[in-house]
Amino acid sequence: MGRKVTIASATLNQWALDFDGNRERILESILEAKDLGATFRTGPELEICGYSCEDHFYESDTFLHSWEVLLELLMAPLCKDVIIDVGMPVMHKNVAYNCRVIFLNQKILLIRPKLKMCDDGNYRESRWFSGWRKIRQTEDHFLPRMISQFTGQTTVPFGDAVISTRDTCLGFEICEELWNPASTHIDMALDGVEIISNSSGSYTELRKAYVSVDLVKSATFKSGGCYIFSNLRGCDGQRVYFGGCSCIALNGSIISRAKQFALQDVEVTVATIDLEDIRSYRNQIRSLAHLAAGSPNYPRVVVDFSLSPEHDTTLPIATSIEWVYLRPEEEIAQGPACWLWDYLRRSGQGGFFLPLSGGVDSTSAALIVYSMCRMVVEAVQRGDTKILLDLRRLLGDSEYTPRTPSELCNRILVTCYMGTENSSKETKQRAATLAASIGSYHLHIVIDKAITAIIEIFSGVTGLFPKFAVKGGCPRQNLALQNIQARLRMVLSYLFAQLMLWARNRPGGLLVLGSANVDEALRGYMTKYDCSSADINPIGGISKTDLRKFLHYVKDKFDISVIGEIVDAPPTAELEPLKDGKLAQTDEEDMGMTYAELSQFGRLRKVEKCGPFSMYCKLVQTWSGNYTPREVAEKVKHFFRCYAINRHKMTVLTPAYHAEQYSPDDNRFDHRPFLYKANWSWQFRAIDKQLEYQSNTKRAGANVATTSNKKVDNSSRLRAGIPV
């Protein structure tokens, strides 16, 4: 009798509505799983149509084409003699469900709908799907005619059930059901389910990878069993990057795992387990055994098939492994780079254009592109023909093979320092040195003539000549003159992006990269429609603090010494005149807060759900060692005034790689008004009342202390015989 089972988890880089490509990647994963000896293969959530179809889930075409792909999978000879679990949307009784379809040897065994929807963060699943409410119940689902004609089945079980083979029992969860406090894997384990698969569409955030791993481990620690976590990887058409990290756990330990970030479209993770290890583990937990004795039953779909071979004595089993997590700076080096690669090859463009200022933000964006080039070259050198074909297609050169990352970066990335009379020699030199270090095709242009021309148009109409503040202008004039420079850089960026490949005798155009970080977006410290307005932004979800850590990391990793100078330089937009050739403007002084403070404001506002009053109450304690309560109150008020005034900028924020929980991205992640009453009158009065109460309490305490001290002094004088 067999007892050892080989199971496979597929990590796929799917693309919304790319039914041809999605089918090919699914088939490739099935082939690889079978070659590795697996008899059960599971894949990520909604893998047939792609997870991010969004309102396309309202279209009947999406359901039709998903069934057509499933039919081709059923018909494929390589799908024989292996239980296959794939994800697709299914309409049951006129209700749309996010489902797993499990089939074997051209027969559908079960359609298992998702029980619990995910609606937080970037997720909106209840907009398109309903959760299955009939727990431990199934119904007949009438199959489309094209499926019935091939399988000979009219109906199949639809609902919350498990599959019993000759040697074990399989159960299923879908993404949120693992995260939910009422996860069903415990109930399934109590009913004897030994192998549970979870198909997910979990996107990455900095410092998040350990969460899913801990959940997978804990899913089998208390109740034993084998848990298979299969996740999407890549950019499938949205701002998020699905985080990979597919893995297999047994009795509380990880025994096999996939990479978190990688350029390859298909990665199959396999493990061979001994079913008797599950049984003995569960049997020794007596409280579990007593609970299981009275556990309600799941409907079972009985299948005359065995996952284990008849004779498996010499088959080696997987053992526990240690999961080494990437540091945040490593996640920044790899995650946005993979996202850019997916976006570039799927957009059909020929590379990137980046305004390079010589500061931390644009330097970070440039180095992420360079990191992408390094990953592409490494993959090509490993023999990945798919990546090489994609590269040749986007470069329009069928013979090209990259030799070094710098050589590839020269073809992929055009950088440009757009200087004005307000620019310093230091930033110009740092930009040029960085470009030379990574190999980008670098330009230096002076845009003063264009700025003068714009001002002359205004002056010709009004007869007025705006001036900077240092030359006697008012704040409105000063700000307008700064914004002219910033917005012209955006216009010129798109001009060069459209024509630089033409100038270099290559077809196509370039994607314009933005380089505004998440803190600047939160504070609104950017000009609307300036060079922060771009096609995509690799750092738009990353804080200034994390970007600095990233630059320190790549300085040594990539051996680029100029990065040290860039990190040490004070952040500045260089939009105001220099004083004696030196900077007269710094970002933190302009903002009225440090980037560290801004990061705390952002986390409290979004992650901890604080309004002005709650934020003050938290920070008055956190910052008590550095600021008085009144100073804290003024800082909180200043932040919320700036936030309210600039909130409208978030409606046109460049699509950015999502990386941070306090992202203010209005397009999906952070839905709030963009028109506020900026004085926050009620909220600020609440702060003032609390401040007054604290001041009165402090004064009263001081009076009590003074009186107490006087009493002590008098008593001591009396004891000494001194009149009082």
Side-chain angles (χ1 to χ4, degrees):
M1 171 179 146
R3 54 189 275 176
K4 295 180 181 178
V5 173
T6 302
I7 49 186
S9 169
T11 305
L12 303 181
N13 191 331
Q14 302 295 72
W15 191 8
L17 302 177
D18 179 22
F19 293 99
D20 282 315
N22 293 348
R23 177 202 58 205
E24 292 308 308
R25 286 181 283 271
I26 292 169
L27 287 171
E28 183 180 338
S29 72
I30 295 170
L31 177 60
E32 188 173 338
K34 289 189 69 177
D35 286 345
L36 293 169
T39 50
F40 174 71
R41 175 270 182 202
T42 187
E45 190 172 10
L46 294 169
E47 58 191 299
I48 284 181
C49 58
Y51 183 86
S52 298
C53 295
E54 301 187 319
D55 280 4
H56 289 288
F57 286 123
Y58 290 136
E59 300 169 2
S60 61
D61 284 9
T62 305
F63 293 83
L64 169 65
H65 300 325
S66 294
W67 281 112
E68 290 171 341
V69 171
L70 180 68
L71 177 59
E72 294 197 13
L73 296 178
L74 287 164
M75 296 171 64
L78 68 87
C79 293
K80 290 184 178 180
D81 299 323
V82 56
I83 294 180
I84 297 170
D85 167 26
V86 294
M88 59 179 273
V90 176
M91 188 81 72
H92 177 69
K93 294 183 175 178
N94 299 331
V95 178
Y97 294 96
N98 175 350
C99 294
R100 305 304 298 175
V101 179
I102 302 94
F103 65 91
L104 168 68
N105 292 336
Q106 302 178 345
K107 300 288 184 182
I108 295 175
L109 305 177
L110 171 68
I111 300 177
R112 202 281 195 177
K114 191 171 184 176
L115 309 182
K116 298 176 176 68
M117 299 295 100
C118 187
D119 293 304
D120 55 2
N122 284 289
Y123 296 106
R124 300 288 183 274
E125 289 182 351
S126 293
R127 180 178 173 91
W128 309 295
F129 299 112
S130 297
W132 181 252
R133 297 287 181 261
K134 302 173 184 178
I135 304 303
R136 294 191 181 92
Q137 296 180 50
T138 63
E139 299 176 349
D140 285 339
H141 178 77
F142 288 83
L143 294 171
R145 280 178 291 180
M146 60 178 164
I147 302 294
S148 296
Q149 289 170 359
F150 178 74
T151 66
Q153 300 169 286
T154 303
T155 63
V156 294
F158 184 102
D160 185 20
V162 298
I163 293 177
S164 287
T165 64
R166 292 203 299 259
D167 51 358
T168 189
C169 188
L170 300 168
F172 308 90
E173 288 189 324
I174 305 175
C175 201
E176 180 68 11
E177 294 167 32
L178 172 63
W179 272 260
N180 192 275
S183 295
T184 55
H185 55 258
I186 299 294
D187 295 330
M188 284 189 279
L190 293 175
D191 195 34
V193 177
E194 296 176 331
I195 299 172
I196 300 172
S197 71
N198 182 298
S199 305
S200 284
S202 176
Y203 60 78
T204 188
E205 285 178 344
L206 296 180
R207 305 171 181 87
K208 177 188 173 183
Y210 79 94
V211 176
S212 59
V213 178
D214 281 357
L215 287 170
V216 169
K217 290 166 64 177
S218 65
T220 60
F221 180 76
K222 287 194 296 185
S223 56
C226 177
Y227 201 94
I228 313 169
F229 178 73
S230 178
N231 195 24
L232 289 162
R233 174 194 287 146
C235 166
D236 75 342
Q238 256 293 350
R239 293 160 173 78
V240 299
Y241 184 88
F242 293 107
C245 291
S246 300
C247 58
I248 300 172
L250 179 69
N251 296 339
S253 297
I254 299 295
I255 58 174
S256 186
R257 61 160 292 188
K259 301 182 189 73
Q260 182 174 356
F261 303 114
L263 300 183
Q264 65 192 100
D265 286 341
V266 178
E267 183 180 4
V268 176
T269 303
V270 299
T272 299
I273 62 169
D274 190 332
L275 296 173
E276 292 301 322
D277 289 339
I278 298 173
R279 293 156 189 168
S280 60
Y281 184 92
R282 287 178 172 174
N283 191 42
Q284 70 180 342
I285 305 174
R286 300 314 302 156
S287 60
L288 182 147
H290 298 324
L291 281 172
S295 173
N297 294 329
Y298 276 85
R300 274 170 160 72
V301 177
V302 180
V303 181
D304 187 18
F305 181 76
S306 178
L307 294 181
S308 58
E310 187 68 26
H311 304 287
D312 57 9
T313 306
T314 60
L315 193 63
I317 60 173
T319 56
S320 176
I321 62 173
E322 181 183 0
W323 195 299
V324 179
Y325 297 101
L326 297 176
R327 291 176 293 162
E329 48 268 39
E330 293 176 293
E331 291 183 301
I332 295 171
Q334 297 180 38
C338 292
W339 183 75
L340 285 180
W341 172 250
D342 282 350
Y343 202 104
L344 182 62
R345 66 195 178 102
R346 289 173 172 174
S347 69
Q349 298 301 300
F352 303 109
F353 180 88
L354 173 66
L356 191 60
S357 69
V360 165
D361 295 331
S362 62
T363 294
S364 297
L367 287 166
I368 287 170
V369 176
Y370 181 64
S371 178
M372 183 200 81
C373 293
R374 288 170 60 96
M375 296 176 77
V376 170
V377 171
E378 288 171 4
V380 170
Q381 291 175 347
R382 286 196 307 268
D384 193 320
T385 55
K386 176 67 169 61
I387 289 176
L388 180 59
L389 289 173
D390 282 338
L391 179 61
R392 288 174 172 174
R393 176 179 52 79
L394 69 90
L395 293 177
D397 186 345
S398 60
E399 303 296 325
Y400 177 68
T401 300
R403 293 173 295 179
T404 66
S406 294
E407 175 199 271
L408 177 57
C409 191
N410 185 265
R411 288 180 172 243
I412 290 284
L413 177 63
V414 176
T415 53
C416 181
Y417 183 84
M418 300 184 192
T420 70
E421 61 182 0
N422 301 324
S423 304
S424 65
K425 293 183 293 184
E426 290 80 7
T427 54
K428 175 184 175 182
Q429 184 58 48
R430 287 197 292 266
T433 304
L434 176 70
S437 299
I438 65 176
S440 67
Y441 188 89
H442 189 62
L443 307 169
H444 171 244
I445 60 175
V446 177
I447 65 173
D448 287 323
K449 288 183 178 179
I451 295 169
T452 301
I454 296 294
I455 294 173
E456 287 178 350
I457 292 173
F458 175 82
S459 299
V461 173
T462 65
L464 301 173
F465 295 86
K467 299 176 183 178
F468 283 104
V470 295
K471 297 181 179 179
C474 68
R476 284 187 293 176
Q477 297 174 54
N478 192 67
L479 185 59
L481 290 175
Q482 291 185 60
N483 289 345
I484 288 171
Q485 299 166 72
R487 291 190 174 116
L488 275 175
R489 286 171 178 160
M490 183 272 289
V491 173
L492 290 168
S493 293
Y494 276 96
L495 174 65
F496 278 83
Q498 289 180 297
L499 295 180
M500 275 310 299
L501 292 188
W502 169 69
R504 298 178 72 185
N505 295 313
R506 273 181 50 193
L510 302 173
L511 291 166
V512 178
L513 294 183
S515 57
N517 63 63
V518 72
D519 294 328
E520 291 171 344
L522 174 66
R523 164 63 172 74
Y525 187 68
M526 60 174 67
T527 302
K528 198 173 186 179
Y529 305 117
D530 71 347
C531 57
S532 65
S533 298
D535 293 316
I536 51 174
N537 184 355
I539 68 165
I542 306 173
S543 72
K544 194 83 161 188
T545 304
D546 282 331
L547 289 176
R548 289 182 178 277
K549 292 178 182 177
F550 162 69
L551 291 182
H552 282 298
Y553 165 73
V554 294
K555 173 180 176 291
D556 297 326
K557 178 74 173 179
F558 299 164
D559 191 23
I560 301 175
S561 59
V562 73
I563 294 176
E565 299 177 30
I566 293 168
V567 175
D568 293 338
T572 175
E574 290 194 331
L575 296 174
E576 295 189 40
L578 303 173
K579 288 183 179 179
D580 300 322
K582 302 296 182 182
L583 293 176
Q585 173 191 40
T586 63
D587 291 350
E588 292 184 333
E589 185 178 350
D590 274 5
M591 291 192 300
M593 62 192 72
T594 67
Y595 279 106
E597 291 168 351
L598 186 49
S599 183
Q600 283 190 279
F601 289 141
R603 194 162 295 280
L604 289 170
R605 180 199 68 92
K606 176 65 176 175
V607 182
E608 299 191 30
K609 313 297 186 293
C610 289
F613 180 70
S614 294
M615 188 180 291
Y616 167 76
C617 291
K618 288 182 180 291
L619 289 178
V620 77
Q621 298 296 325
T622 305
W623 290 352
S624 60
N626 299 316
Y627 301 113
T628 66
R630 188 165 299 280
E631 289 172 329
V632 173
E634 288 307 313
K635 283 182 174 290
V636 170
K637 291 178 182 180
H638 178 60
F639 165 73
F640 272 98
R641 288 190 197 100
C642 295
Y643 170 76
I645 291 168
N646 291 291
R647 176 64 184 162
H648 63 96
K649 296 178 183 178
M650 297 306 94
T651 63
V652 295
L653 201 65
T654 296
Y657 174 88
H658 176 81
E660 184 54 73
Q661 287 189 359
Y662 67 82
S663 168
D665 187 347
D666 180 74
N667 295 281
R668 168 53 86 71
F669 188 70
D670 190 28
H671 288 185
R672 299 171 192 244
F674 63 86
L675 181 61
Y676 283 97
K677 186 175 182 181
N679 66 3
W680 301 84
S681 55
W682 188 285
Q683 295 90 334
F684 286 3
R685 279 202 305 275
I687 293 176
D688 292 338
K689 289 177 183 177
Q690 183 66 19
L691 187 61
E692 183 179 358
Y693 171 77
Q694 288 174 300
S695 298
N696 292 338
T697 303
K698 187 175 181 180
R699 283 196 295 270
N703 292 335
V704 169
T706 302
T707 304
S708 175
N709 288 337
K710 286 181 178 179
K711 288 179 180 178
V712 171
D713 290 344
N714 290 341
S715 62
S716 63
R717 289 166 68 89
L718 286 170
R719 284 196 300 270
I722 302 172
V724 296

